[in-house]
Every structure is written in structure tokens, then in C-alpha cells.
Amino acid sequence: MISIFPTLAALSAAVADRLVQIAQTAVSTRGRFLWVLSGGSTPEPLYRLLAHPPYRDQMPWRSTVAFWGDERLVPPDTAGSNYRQAADLLLRHTLIPKTHIVRMRGELSAEEAVHDYTKQLTQWTTPPRVWPRFDLVLLGLGSDGHTASLFPGPISTAETQQAVMAAAADYGDRPAPRLTLTPRVLNDARHVFFLVAGGEKREALAATRAALHQPMKWPAQRIHPDDGELHWYVDEAAASVNA
Ligand code: 6PG
């Protein structure tokens, strides 16, 4: 499903409305809301909205558990950290318990960080499952078609066999060494939302959503929930409505 909005502000408000509904339903049916956050600039207005009334007061923060889809391998107090971005803009303004902030430890080596996050995931589920079934995954889309830290190129064994893997890619001025959840985990979610805004995303968005399947070239095509809802929240500039 795709919804197109005139501005990123309108897109963010629509996502906030739906996110609150999903969170409330998850908590009333399963007792907790397992939410995977994304990095990048696109979710920033959403995080700001959720940090303030009315959304802040509608969210079941005490029953919310925050995970990340990807992280840059930098310490959590540095500017490139996805954790720090979400903490500063959102989490520190809420009642989410500290023990419910399940961050990827970017201060570790890639190998240690993969091992650490894999272990943290198992702690939020019941064996034989090795990762939780997330209620909602937020994802962005790079102008090169990447999502989370799944970048163009061959699909590695780690990507098909692990829950968490290391990655390295240059994208803008962002740190290259990264950690990411793999499609195995992301596609298991109940809801996956892509947030895409800006004319520089136009080609990647069109190619990703096209019938031609080229997942090595357009990595976001690797995301197709097995038994969940995939919803594209897109602004007009990215959708080329007026192009
Ligand atoms: C990251 C992200 C990444 C992001 C895209 C889009 O850590 O860099 O999770 O996948 O979502 O690069 O970024 P923008 O929203 O800034 O365009």
C-alpha cells in the first residue's frame, strides 16, 4: 500500500496517527509494543511529533520496547549515532523504561556488536525463536536504493543466514561501518513502514516499487513482509506526482 502526502510534515503526522494505533493494539493484545526505529533524517519530524502532546500522551511508553534496524559503528554519544538521534529527539522525553531501549552497541567492534545484538534479540523472545516478531519496523530509503544498512551489491551469506550482520558503505558523510538487521528479521514484522521524502529519492522509489525484481541493485526490494503489512509513506517530491 502507498500513501502520498504533499509535505513531510503531513506524512509524519499520518505515520504518528497510525503508529499510535498499532502501539495501542499491540499492548492491549500482547502486552507490549515492539518497535524498530530507523536512522536518517526522514523520521526526525516524526520523532519530534511523538515527543510532544498529543502523541506523547497517547503512546503506551511503559510497554514500548525500542530496537533499531541499523546503526553506525560509532559511540552512542556521537553525532552519527542513530541511537543518539532517537534518544535526543524522542526517547528522553518519554516514559519508556531504560531497560526497554535495546540499542545496537556501536562502540564495539563489528564482530562483537553483531554478537551482542543477536544476543539481546534472543532476550526479548521465547525459544526456539531467536528474534522477536516486531510490531512495527520503520525504514528509510537511500537515493541509491539502500534501506536499513542493506546496500547495493551481492547478497551475502550473513544476510541470508543471520539475524544481525555487519556492513560497510559510503553514503554521504555518514560513518561507513555499520550494523543492520537482516531481511529475515525485518520481513517477519507485523507492520513495515517505509518513510520516503524528497526528489532525490524519486528514481530509487520508482525502481524499488517497479515490477522488475533487482534486489542486488535496489536493496529495499529485499523487504516484503511474509505475513505483515507493508506501507509506503511517501511525499509528492519522491513520488514525482508533480514532476
Ligand atoms: C541510516 C538509516 C538509513 C536511512 C536512509 C535514508 O542509519 O543511515 O537507517 O537506512 O534510513 O539512508 O536516510 P534519509 O532519511 O536521511 O534520507
Side-chain angles (χ1 to χ4, degrees):
M1 171 168 178
I2 183 164
S3 303
I4 301 174
F5 300 87
T7 60
L8 178 58
L11 181 162
S12 305
V15 173
D17 285 336
R18 184 73 181 116
L19 189 149
V20 167
Q21 280 174 1
I22 291 171
Q24 290 174 345
T25 303
V27 171
S28 63
T29 54
R30 290 177 296 280
R32 56 191 191 176
F33 172 50
L34 304 178
W35 178 23
V36 176
L37 285 77
S38 82
S41 56
T42 313
E44 288 185 349
L46 169 70
Y47 294 161
R48 288 198 175 89
L49 276 179
L50 294 172
H52 296 95
Y55 295 109
R56 187 181 62 192
D57 306 335
Q58 295 165 0
M59 273 292 289
W61 290 114
R62 290 185 192 281
S63 305
T64 294
V65 189
F67 300 83
W68 274 262
D70 75 327
E71 181 59 279
R72 296 81 176 268
L73 288 180
V74 295
D77 55 353
T78 51
S81 161
N82 286 344
Y83 159 77
R84 179 177 161 178
Q85 175 193 40
D88 285 353
L89 294 179
L90 174 60
L91 300 175
R92 70 176 51 191
H93 308 288
T94 71
L95 293 172
I96 189 169
K98 284 202 167 40
T99 53
H100 288 193
I101 298 178
V102 189
R103 74 174 178 86
M104 292 177 161
R105 294 176 66 195
E107 67 274 31
L108 301 178
S109 71
E111 197 185 333
E112 288 168 337
V114 167
H115 182 257
D116 176 81
Y117 210 62
T118 306
K119 195 169 153 203
Q120 291 198 67
L121 290 181
T122 61
Q123 289 164 357
W124 285 95
T125 192
T126 315
R129 289 191 61 94
V130 292
W131 63 77
R133 184 166 189 211
F134 294 111
D135 294 299
L136 174 63
V137 172
L138 292 185
L139 292 172
L141 181 70
S143 53
D144 60 355
H146 81 265
T147 190
S149 287
L150 305 169
F151 283 87
I155 297 172
S156 65
T157 319
E159 187 172 326
T160 55
Q161 297 191 352
Q162 298 175 191
V164 185
M165 71 169 190
D170 288 316
Y171 185 71
D173 57 1
R174 297 176 182 176
R178 293 155 172 261
L179 203 69
T180 189
L181 297 184
T182 63
R184 301 179 74 198
V185 178
L186 299 169
N187 285 330
D188 199 25
R190 293 175 195 276
H191 300 271
V192 177
F193 290 0
F194 274 96
L195 275 54
V196 188
E200 70 282 8
K201 307 286 176 70
R202 198 175 293 154
E203 184 194 359
L205 178 67
T208 300
R209 290 183 42 82
L212 186 62
H213 193 59
Q214 296 177 294
M216 287 196 279
K217 188 167 182 197
W218 303 109
Q221 288 190 339
R222 301 173 203 168
I223 305 303
H224 37 74
D226 302 325
D227 182 25
E229 172 201 339
L230 177 63
H231 196 146
W232 290 84
Y233 288 85
V234 172
D235 78 349
E236 285 179 0
S240 61
V241 167
N242 298 318

